[in-house]
Every structure is written in structure tokens, then in C-alpha cells.
């Protein structure tokens, strides 16, 4: 059943003069009134319907004319959205605010009512709520486009089944959740067999981004993308020097895959920032007030980003339920929803080194062992600090440089995962364009991304971000500070797995010879896995055990 202020009630035929005024309210924006109608609100009171008799007559007239109402009269929304948790609500309101009438549906009907009320309160936006899927689908103009924002996995399949029962050939479903890319490809194929189009669209930016402009990563049917390109271009975050933060990513599950790796990079970024905080607090003894000032200052330079900005904000917020700062009362256990784990799994499947992202995931696993860590701290008691004097100003500058250099490595790893998958699947992804659409709206948005875009614009076949001339120079300029920070942390018993992994990644990548020769010799010794030589072409096997035994004798 539709709720007040929806389009199912709109298809009831002729209205009274007061109904027509409600019906054609000029406060809505979007398509011309001839293309859509604002529904009659049955709770509105006006003179021509005053009293029981008038209301009965109106209802009788609605009933007699409802069967004659055409679907075209009912189809007044440009797009639909199913799934009204906070992200879904905010994206729907964003779409409506940009001038596109939208219908919304949720299995829990109270969420529908809540969204309709928000639309009224936030500017009487052209948003219409429905309590049943049939009315919801029929309210959308053909070819119909429905965005889903529901929990990944089985709930997506259930929602697709509910919607597809009412959709027609040529209609389109868009999954805007953090879904496993292979599920998207399976569903796209299944929908194609039914004559439906399908997109998997990554949406980044959290609640604020969804409402005011997210970064959008749609992949799948290009035809489906063209259906809603005009909507996405307006709804996405707008960056003055590079445009809307949306682009067609590519075929199949590429949109979901790119969003997954985006989240993996986000894991690395957050871990590195937390390590910078730990070194400054534990070794440098900075107060929360000083940390707020440091991060605020960092946000004016090369580290300018959403995550640095909100970190500075966090250090300024006092506890409203006790003494001190709120950050110190937050339990040191980091949650996760799976995209970071998927990223690391894909890196392993693709044989792409991603130690910074992996370290961030391991750190979340270790943070979850809170009770074990508390017990371990009782066993391993002692003073792990070096007790050497620390130049606070020098430490702050060194940590800034170490954080920046480590970030380059984290992004390089993420981009290499995307590049490897693109080559495997034949997606033809444009890494520079991905950096562009991450410049605004998303969680990892940063001024730094403009540099990455330019690096791939200079050389689209860049083997690794580290070897771009500008980034290579920046890392070389910062490596001394980077090493000082990692060594200082080790000497004071402070773990910096992300920074250490990033530095090890850089040191391994920059060396023309690694100790891998010994590992391969070991493999050939116990498993006859063969090896290659540096001086003679071909594959070789040596009877290491026999030779070693003879030498011992």
C-alpha cells in the first residue's frame, strides 16, 4: 500500500480544484509537470471535501476511476530506490534534490514513511514512498531503473527476486552496495536471460557523501549506464577542476571490484594515520590538543584529505559523559565489513604484493583480540622505551614525511591490484580516470589523487606508481625521515606494521637483487622445483642433498 504523498493515489482520475492544486504544486523541481505529477495527499483537507459525505464521495470516485488509470499516468518517477537504511535514504534525497522525481520502497515500511517525512522536511522534495513492490515498480517511468542499497549477499538476491517479478524487458536494476564482484557478474548474466539490464555500482562517501555527493563507480551494462548517466553526473560529488566524480568503469563486475579495492586502500590509509598518531602520542607524548593542531596543519599541505581532516576533528571532541577527550574512551577494537579482506584475497589470487593493505587487515584482526592483549600485557611487562630525548618538532616533521611516503606505497599496491584484474578480465580500466573520480565524495578523497591521475596521464602503462618520476623523487626525498620514524618506533616498542610494510615494499622493489635466490634453491633442494640461472638460460635442477651428503662425508 502507498503512503501519504505517493503516486499510487495519483492515478485516480479527475480531481477537485483543491486536489489539482496539490497535484500540480510548483514547489517541486525536475521534469515538466506534464511529465510527472505530485500525488494527492489523502490527509490534506480542503473545502470541497470537508465532511464525511465529501470524503466518501471522493473515495467512491477514486475506486470507480482507478481501474481506468493507465500505467503511464502512474509512472511519475524518473528512478526508483529500494533499501532505505541511512545510505539509501540519503542517496534518494540527493537524487530528488537534484531535480529527479524518485520513488522509494523498503520491506520495513516504517523506513518508507521516515524517508517521505524527511523529503518533506528537507524542501518538499519530489520523493514518493511505497509499501508494496508492485506499486513501487509501476510508479517508475519506462525503461525503469531501480537502485538497490541492501546488505550484500542473500538480501540482494531476495530484493532482485522481489523487483524482477514486476519489471519488464529493458528495465534495469543497479546494485549500489559493497558486493563481491563475481556475484554481480552472475546476476548480470541471470538478468540478461530475463531481458533485464544490470549494473554493479560502487558508492563511496558514507552517509554524508550519499546525501551531498558521493563518488560513484558503475560497472556492467553500458546501455544501462546511459539510461541514468544524466542523473549520476548531477548526483555525484563535483570537483571544480575535474568534474563529476563518476565515470563508466567497465564491463562485468568492474565497478564493484574497483570499489572493493578503493576500500582496501582506505584500510591502508586509516592504518597509516593511526600509526602516525601512535608514534606522536606514545613516543612524542603529544596531547590531544597538540595532535589536533598537528593534523589540522598537515591538512593544509600534501596530506590534505578527508581522513586527515576528520582525524583532526576527532582529537578536538570532549567526552560528553565524563572527563577528558572522547577518542581516549573509544575501545581499541576495529570493526570491518569484508571488503578489505576481499582485497587482500584478490591480491593473493593475482600474485600482486600488497603488504601495506595486508598489514592494515592484520592489525584489525589483532585489535579484535582485546582480552588476549590485556592478558599478554601482564606477561610482557617492562619498559620498552629507549628513554632517549625526542625533539618534538623534528618528530612531527619526520612522521609527516613517513606518512606521505607510506601512502604512496599503499596507493601503488591498490592500483596494481586493479591493473592486474583489468588485464585478467579484459576490462581495459583507466587508472587515471579512477584517481579522478576519487578526488571528491569518497572516503579516500585527497589532493594527493590529482598527482596520481597526472602520473597515469603521463604514462598509462606505468608499471608501478613508485617509478613515476615525480613520486620517485618524493620518496627519495622522504626516505631518511621514513627510516628514522620506523626505527624510533621499533626502539620504543611501538608497532608500525603499515609504515614498516610500506618501507619494506619500497626497499624490495628498488633492489635489483633479492635473497629470493636462496629461497628458490631451498625449493629445489627439498622439492625438485628447479631454478633459473642468472648467467645461462634454461631451467635447472641440482641434487643438493646428494652433493651436501658427499661434502659432509
Amino acid at each position: 500500500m502507498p503512503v501519504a504523498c505517493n503516486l499510487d493515489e495519483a492515478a485516480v482520475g479527475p480531481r477537485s480544484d483543491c486536489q489539482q492544486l496539490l497535484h500540480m504544486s510548483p514547489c517541486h523541481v525536475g521534469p515538466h509537470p506534464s511529465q510527472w505529477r505530485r500525488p494527492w495527499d489523502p490527509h490534506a483537507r480542503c473545502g470541497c471535501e470537508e465532511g464525511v459525505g465529501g470524503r466518501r464521495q471522493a473515495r467512491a470516485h477514486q475506486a470507480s476511476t482507478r481501474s481506468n488509470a493507465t500505467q503511464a499516468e502512474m509512472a511519475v518517477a524518473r528512478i526508483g530506490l529500494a533499501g532505505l537504511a541511512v545510505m539509501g535514504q540519503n542517496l534518494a534525497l540527493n537524487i530528488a534534490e537534484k531535480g529527479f522525481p524518485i520513488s522509494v520502497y523498503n520491506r520495513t515500511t516504517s523506513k518508507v514513511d521516515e524517508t517521505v517525512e524527511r523529503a518533506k522536511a528537507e524542501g518538499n522534495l519530489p520523493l514518493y514512498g511505497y509499501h508494496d513492490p508492485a506499486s513501487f515498480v509501476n510508479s517508475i517511468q519506462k525503461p525503469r531503473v531501480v537502485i538497490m542499497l541492501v546488505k550484500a549477499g542473500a538480501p540482494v538476491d531476495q530484493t532482485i527476486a522481489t523487483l524482477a517479478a514486476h519489471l519488464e524487458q529493458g528495465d534495469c536494476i543497479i546494485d549500489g552496495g559493497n558486493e563481491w564482484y563475481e556475484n554481480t557478474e552472475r546476476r548480470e548474466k541471470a538478468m540478461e536471460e530475463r531481458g533485464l539490464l544490470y549494473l554493479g555500482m560502487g558508492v563511496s562517501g558514507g552517509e554524508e557523501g550519499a546525501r551531498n555527493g558521493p563518488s560513484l563507480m558503475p560497472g556492467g551494462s553500458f546501455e544501462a549506464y546511459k539510461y541514468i548517466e544524466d542523473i549520476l553526473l548531477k548526483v555525484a560529488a563535483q570537483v571544480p577542476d575535474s568534474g563529476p566524480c563518476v565515470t563508466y568503469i567497465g564491463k562485468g563486475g568492474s565497478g564493484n571490484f574497483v570499489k572493493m579495492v578503493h576500500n582496501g586502500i582506505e584500510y591502508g590509509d586509516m592504518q597509516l594515520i593511526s600509526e602516525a598518531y601512535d608514534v606522536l602520542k606514545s613516543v612524542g607524548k603529544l596531547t590531544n590538543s597538540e595532535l589536533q593542531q598537528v593534523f589540522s596543519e598537515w591538512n593544509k599541505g600534501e596530506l590534505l584529505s578527508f581522513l586527515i581532516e576528520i582525524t583532526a576533528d576527532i582529537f578536538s571532541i570532549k567526552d560528553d559523559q565524563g572527563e577528558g577527550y572522547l577518542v581516549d574512551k573509544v575501545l581499541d577494537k576495529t570493526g570491518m565489513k569484508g571488503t578489505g579482506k576481499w582485497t587482500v584475497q584478490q591480491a593473493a589470487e593475482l600474485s600482486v604484493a600488497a603488504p601495506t593493505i595486508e598489514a592494515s587487515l592484520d592489525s584489525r584482526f589483532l585489535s579484535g583480540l582485546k582480552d588476549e592483549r590485556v592478558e599478554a600485557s601482564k606477561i610482557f611487562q617492562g619498559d620498552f622505551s629507549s628513554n632517549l630525548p625526542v625533539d618534538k618538532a623534528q618528530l612531527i616533521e619526520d612522521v609527516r614525511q613517513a606518512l606521505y611516503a607510506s601512502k604512496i606505497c599503499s596507493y601503488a599496491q591498490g592500483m596494481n591490484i586493479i591493473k592486474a584484474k583489468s588485464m585478467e578480465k579484459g576490462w581495459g580500466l583507466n587508472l587515471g580516470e579512477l584517481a579522478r573520480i576519487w578526488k571528491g565524495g569518497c572516503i579516500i578523497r585527497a589532493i594527493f589523487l590529482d598527482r596520481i591521475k597526472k602520473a597515469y596521464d603521463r604514462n598509462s602503462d606505468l608499471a608501478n606508481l613508485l617509478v613515476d618520476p615525480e613520486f620517485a623523487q618524493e620518496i627519495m626525498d622522504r626516505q631518511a625521515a621514513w627510516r628514522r620514524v620506523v626505527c624510533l618506533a621499533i626502539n620504543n616498542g611501538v608497532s608500525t606494521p603499515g609504515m614498516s610494510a610500506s618501507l619494506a615494499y619500497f626497499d624490495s622493489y628498488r633492489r635489483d637483487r633479492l635473497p629470493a635466490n636462496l629461497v628458490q634453491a631451498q625449493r629445489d633442494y627439498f622439492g625438485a622445483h628447479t631454478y633459473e640461472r642468472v648467467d645461462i638460460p634454461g631451467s635447472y635442477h641440482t641434487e643438493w642433498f646428494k652433493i651436501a651428503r658427499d661434502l659432509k662425508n
Side-chain angles (χ1 to χ4, degrees):
M1 291 293 293
V3 298
C5 198
N6 73 39
L7 270 295
D8 195 45
E9 287 289 338
V12 296
R15 290 172 169 76
S16 67
D17 290 340
C18 284
Q19 289 170 352
Q20 290 287 356
L21 287 172
L22 286 168
H23 174 69
M24 300 293 285
S25 173
C27 66
H28 289 353
V29 294
H32 190 274
S34 64
Q35 298 176 9
W36 65 276
R37 299 181 179 181
R38 180 181 176 186
W40 168 53
D41 184 347
H43 300 294
R45 297 174 62 84
C46 61
C48 64
E49 290 184 358
E50 198 67 50
V52 175
R55 287 195 293 275
R56 284 177 178 169
Q57 183 178 4
R59 284 197 294 269
H61 183 67
Q62 293 165 24
S64 67
T65 58
R66 182 184 299 273
S67 60
N68 296 324
T70 66
Q71 196 170 45
E73 289 174 318
M74 297 173 67
V76 295
R78 169 67 195 282
I79 191 169
L81 189 146
L84 296 173
V86 178
M87 281 287 289
Q89 287 190 23
N90 283 358
L91 185 60
L93 292 166
N94 182 0
I95 292 171
E97 188 174 61
K98 297 304 187 297
F100 301 100
I102 182 170
S103 293
V104 297
Y105 165 75
N106 196 81
R107 188 174 61 178
T108 304
T109 58
S110 60
K111 291 291 186 181
V112 177
D113 302 342
E114 180 182 319
T115 309
V116 169
E117 289 304 313
R118 283 189 63 188
K120 291 179 179 178
E122 296 182 24
N124 212 18
L125 303 175
L127 181 148
Y128 313 105
Y130 293 84
H131 287 177
D132 69 285
S135 299
F136 165 67
V137 170
N138 288 334
S139 72
I140 304 167
Q141 297 170 4
K142 296 181 182 181
R144 304 182 184 95
V145 178
V146 179
I147 298 174
M148 299 181 298
L149 274 169
V150 298
K151 186 178 179 180
V156 175
D157 290 313
Q158 294 164 4
T159 304
I160 288 174
T162 298
L163 296 173
H166 307 287
L167 293 172
E168 301 173 3
Q169 187 169 349
D171 291 345
C172 173
I173 297 176
I174 301 173
D175 179 9
N178 285 327
E179 186 54 273
W180 175 240
Y181 82 99
E182 288 183 336
N183 286 342
T184 296
E185 294 186 335
R186 168 178 60 81
R187 291 167 184 145
E188 182 184 13
K189 183 177 180 181
M191 292 301 100
E192 185 178 2
E193 291 172 355
R194 301 181 61 163
L196 300 176
L197 303 178
Y198 196 84
L199 279 176
M201 181 172 70
V203 180
S204 179
E207 299 173 11
E208 183 271 339
R211 182 64 183 86
N212 299 306
S215 175
L216 300 171
M217 293 154 260
S221 165
F222 183 69
E223 182 182 356
Y225 172 73
K226 297 305 290 185
Y227 279 5
I228 59 163
E229 183 179 34
D230 60 329
I231 297 177
L232 300 184
L233 289 173
K234 286 191 175 181
V235 167
Q238 309 291 317
V239 176
D241 62 342
S242 59
C245 293
V246 60
T247 191
Y248 174 69
I249 301 298
K251 298 179 293 184
S254 60
N256 287 124
F257 189 90
V258 166
K259 175 56 164 58
M260 176 195 75
V261 178
H262 162 285
N263 285 16
I265 295 171
E266 180 184 308
Y267 271 50
D269 222 346
M270 296 171 73
Q271 177 64 28
L272 294 170
I273 292 171
S274 74
E275 291 174 17
Y277 153 65
D278 197 11
V279 171
L280 292 175
K281 181 181 177 68
S282 300
V283 182
K285 308 302 180 184
L286 271 70
T287 65
N288 286 322
S289 178
E290 289 174 319
L291 288 165
Q292 192 276 331
Q293 293 174 11
V294 167
F295 277 83
S296 293
E297 191 63 30
W298 285 356
N299 200 45
K300 297 176 184 177
E302 63 189 12
L303 290 173
L304 189 156
S305 64
F306 173 71
L307 286 172
I308 293 293
E309 177 186 355
I310 68 169
T311 301
D313 291 344
I314 287 168
F315 290 130
S316 68
I317 296 174
K318 298 286 186 67
D319 183 8
D320 62 355
Q321 300 183 42
E323 297 292 326
Y325 289 83
L326 182 57
V327 66
D328 297 322
K329 308 295 178 60
V330 176
L331 182 65
D332 54 325
K333 286 177 65 174
T334 305
M336 67 189 91
K337 293 186 176 180
T339 47
K341 184 189 298 183
W342 291 347
T343 302
V344 171
Q345 289 171 336
Q346 279 296 293
E349 289 286 338
L350 295 163
S351 299
V352 174
T356 310
I357 299 172
E358 291 162 13
S360 71
L361 185 64
D362 288 340
S363 294
R364 294 196 183 198
F365 293 153
L366 283 166
S367 77
L369 304 177
K370 176 64 175 179
D371 293 340
E372 290 184 38
R373 290 187 288 110
V374 170
E375 292 304 312
S377 70
K378 298 174 184 177
I379 297 171
F380 302 107
Q381 292 184 355
D383 184 5
F384 293 96
S385 65
S386 64
N387 293 316
L388 296 175
V390 175
D391 183 329
K392 190 177 289 189
Q394 183 64 53
L395 177 62
I396 291 170
E397 176 58 19
D398 281 355
V399 171
R400 182 189 68 79
Q401 293 189 35
L403 176 56
Y404 184 78
S406 297
K407 277 171 63 76
I408 295 174
C409 291
S410 182
Y411 279 75
Q413 294 160 27
M415 288 300 193
N416 281 355
I417 295 171
I418 293 173
K419 180 173 69 174
K421 195 65 178 184
S422 178
M423 292 175 65
E424 178 189 88
K425 302 286 287 187
W427 286 338
L429 302 186
N430 183 331
L431 300 184
E433 183 69 352
L434 299 185
R436 182 192 70 78
I437 66 170
W438 289 346
K439 286 173 60 179
C442 69
I443 302 302
I444 64 171
R445 61 184 182 266
I447 193 171
F448 172 77
L449 283 157
D450 191 52
R451 312 281 305 286
I452 295 177
K453 179 185 183 301
K454 290 177 180 177
Y456 285 110
D457 286 347
R458 284 191 291 269
N459 181 4
S460 60
D461 296 323
L462 195 63
N464 191 304
L465 198 59
L466 300 185
V467 298
D468 171 75
E470 288 193 11
F471 281 118
Q473 187 60 54
E474 289 185 331
I475 283 189
M476 291 300 292
D477 291 344
R478 289 161 178 76
Q479 67 161 332
W482 196 3
R483 297 181 194 281
R484 285 196 296 269
V485 170
V486 171
C487 289
L488 182 65
I490 291 171
N491 290 334
N492 283 273
V494 175
S495 62
T496 54
M499 287 188 181
S500 299
S502 296
L503 182 56
Y505 176 77
F506 166 66
D507 280 335
S508 294
Y509 191 72
R510 70 173 178 79
R511 295 179 65 191
D512 64 350
R513 186 167 176 83
L514 294 171
N517 56 314
L518 177 58
V519 176
Q520 191 61 23
Q522 291 171 332
R523 295 182 72 244
D524 189 51
Y525 190 122
F526 65 70
H529 293 292
T530 74
Y531 59 90
E532 296 176 273
R533 296 176 60 100
V534 297
D535 54 348
I536 308 172
S539 180
Y540 297 86
H541 169 61
T542 296
E543 296 290 342
W544 303 88
F545 179 78
K546 181 179 178 180
I547 296 172
R549 183 186 59 191
D550 292 344
L551 288 172
K552 290 175 183 177
N553 293 334

